[in-house]
Amino acid sequence: KQWYQRRVRGTMVSGDLSIGELIKLRENIGTKKFEAITQKSDRTAETEATPTTSDAAPTSPQFKRSNKRAPREMSSKKKVSVIRELKTAKRTTRDPRFDDLSGTFNENVFEGSYGFIQDIRSEEKSKLQAELKKCKDPKKREELVRLINKMNTSEKAQQVKSERQQLKAQSRKRAMDNVKQGKNPYFAKKSELRKSELKNKFEKLKKEGKVDKYLAKRRKLNLQKDKKSL
């Protein structure tokens, strides 16, 4: 057995053993040992077949940079293309309305800075009213009336908004006065502000003598809502 093993280790790689000798060897030493010896001989054959680093083909020279920030050294034998792809920084668009870098929106400061817009609108409204008096075309008159009504509704909405802001400012001022006097500050609720707003509105309508007209309009709107719900 030892003679066969020595012979296999020395000659299996070159393939000197015949098929009969291999079968006889497998019967003598066993199948497991035979497979182990043959696998080992196959590995040695692969290692001998692979070329060494000295025999390998010469690779292209690797250019190394002296500093990682230095430009990469390129081979002078390689042709430079006429069209080059320049890497530019990606532009990011920014919306100032929703960006924190633009600061927070302060309504009071905005109205103070752009209060002249209201004056421009009032001038435009007076021009439209003067044009409506002179106009005789029914289609154009209808368009002018629509624009004037639109401006009136926006003015009313702006007036209601300013009144609410005044009520909030008064409530804040009363709370600050209580703090200065050593009392607990009291901030009015939304329902209380709404009640005071309605009170001011009715007082204003009473002075102008439009309370009945306003109540009739409200009744009409409520009836329309009830009809829709039914």
Side-chain angles (χ1 to χ4, degrees), residues 1-23:
K1 289 182 181 179
Q2 291 178 358
W3 176 79
Y4 276 117
Q5 287 177 3
R6 274 189 259 112
R7 191 171 180 196
V8 166
R9 287 172 188 170
T11 61
M12 183 67 74
V13 176
S14 58
D16 293 338
L17 289 175
S18 63
I19 296 169
E21 287 176 340
L22 290 172
I23 293 167

Side-chain angles (χ1 to χ4, degrees), residues 8-146:
V8 166
R9 287 172 188 170
T11 61
M12 183 67 74
V13 176
S14 58
D16 293 338
L17 289 175
S18 63
I19 296 169
E21 287 176 340
L22 290 172
I23 293 167
K24 191 176 180 181
L25 176 64
R26 187 174 65 181
E27 289 174 356
N28 289 329
I29 64 174
T31 307
K32 287 186 178 179
K33 285 186 178 181
F34 180 80
E35 288 178 356
I37 292 166
T38 52
Q39 287 175 3
K40 188 175 181 182
S41 62
D42 289 340
R43 288 195 210 101
T44 54
E46 286 176 3
T47 53
E48 287 176 2
T50 53
T52 57
T53 54
S54 60
D55 298 334
T59 57
S60 58
Q62 297 291 329
F63 298 101
K64 292 184 179 180
R65 291 181 287 179
S66 58
N67 185 8
K68 65 179 182 179
R69 299 180 188 279
R72 189 179 294 278
E73 186 179 353
M74 301 297 290
S75 175
S76 60
K77 295 179 181 179
K78 189 177 179 181
K79 290 183 179 181
V80 180
S81 60
V82 179
I83 300 167
R84 291 188 183 183
E85 293 182 1
L86 298 174
K87 292 182 179 180
T88 55
K90 190 177 179 182
R91 288 188 179 183
T92 54
T93 55
R94 185 170 69 85
D95 195 340
R97 296 174 298 171
F98 310 109
D99 198 348
D100 295 334
L101 295 171
S102 301
T104 54
F105 177 69
N106 192 339
E107 197 169 356
N108 295 325
V109 174
F110 178 80
E111 287 181 359
S113 302
Y114 297 95
F116 62 90
I117 294 172
Q118 203 64 28
D119 299 333
I120 294 167
R121 285 176 180 169
S122 60
E123 287 178 6
E124 287 178 355
K125 183 184 171 182
S126 60
K127 286 179 182 178
L128 288 171
Q129 286 173 346
E131 191 177 351
L132 180 64
K133 289 178 181 178
K134 296 177 183 178
C135 184
K136 293 180 181 179
D137 188 6
K139 288 185 178 179
K140 196 172 182 181
R141 280 181 68 85
E142 189 178 347
E143 183 67 22
L144 290 168
V145 168
R146 190 182 64 80

Side-chain angles (χ1 to χ4, degrees), residues 110-229:
F110 178 80
E111 287 181 359
S113 302
Y114 297 95
F116 62 90
I117 294 172
Q118 203 64 28
D119 299 333
I120 294 167
R121 285 176 180 169
S122 60
E123 287 178 6
E124 287 178 355
K125 183 184 171 182
S126 60
K127 286 179 182 178
L128 288 171
Q129 286 173 346
E131 191 177 351
L132 180 64
K133 289 178 181 178
K134 296 177 183 178
C135 184
K136 293 180 181 179
D137 188 6
K139 288 185 178 179
K140 196 172 182 181
R141 280 181 68 85
E142 189 178 347
E143 183 67 22
L144 290 168
V145 168
R146 190 182 64 80
L147 288 170
I148 290 165
N149 289 335
K150 190 177 179 180
M151 294 178 105
N152 287 331
T153 51
S154 65
E155 281 179 4
K156 286 177 182 177
Q158 188 65 30
Q159 191 176 359
V160 170
K161 195 176 180 181
S162 62
E163 287 174 0
R164 284 179 187 171
Q165 287 178 354
Q166 285 177 4
L167 289 170
K168 285 181 183 179
Q170 288 173 6
S171 175
R172 205 179 295 114
K173 189 179 179 182
R174 283 196 296 269
M176 293 299 292
D177 292 338
N178 289 337
V179 170
K180 287 177 183 178
Q181 292 173 9
K183 299 177 184 178
N184 291 327
Y186 177 75
F187 296 96
K189 298 177 183 178
K190 287 184 179 180
S191 59
E192 293 175 354
L193 290 170
R194 179 65 179 164
K195 284 177 184 178
S196 58
E197 185 183 343
L198 288 169
K199 187 180 177 182
N200 293 337
K201 189 174 184 178
F202 272 101
E203 285 177 359
K204 188 178 179 181
L205 289 168
K206 195 174 181 180
K207 286 180 182 178
E208 295 175 355
K210 296 180 181 178
V211 178
D212 297 333
K213 188 178 179 181
Y214 176 77
L215 291 172
K217 190 176 180 181
R218 291 300 301 175
R219 285 194 208 98
K220 190 177 179 181
L221 289 169
N222 291 329
L223 284 169
Q224 287 177 358
K225 285 180 183 179
D226 292 338
K227 284 178 182 179
K228 284 181 181 178
S229 62

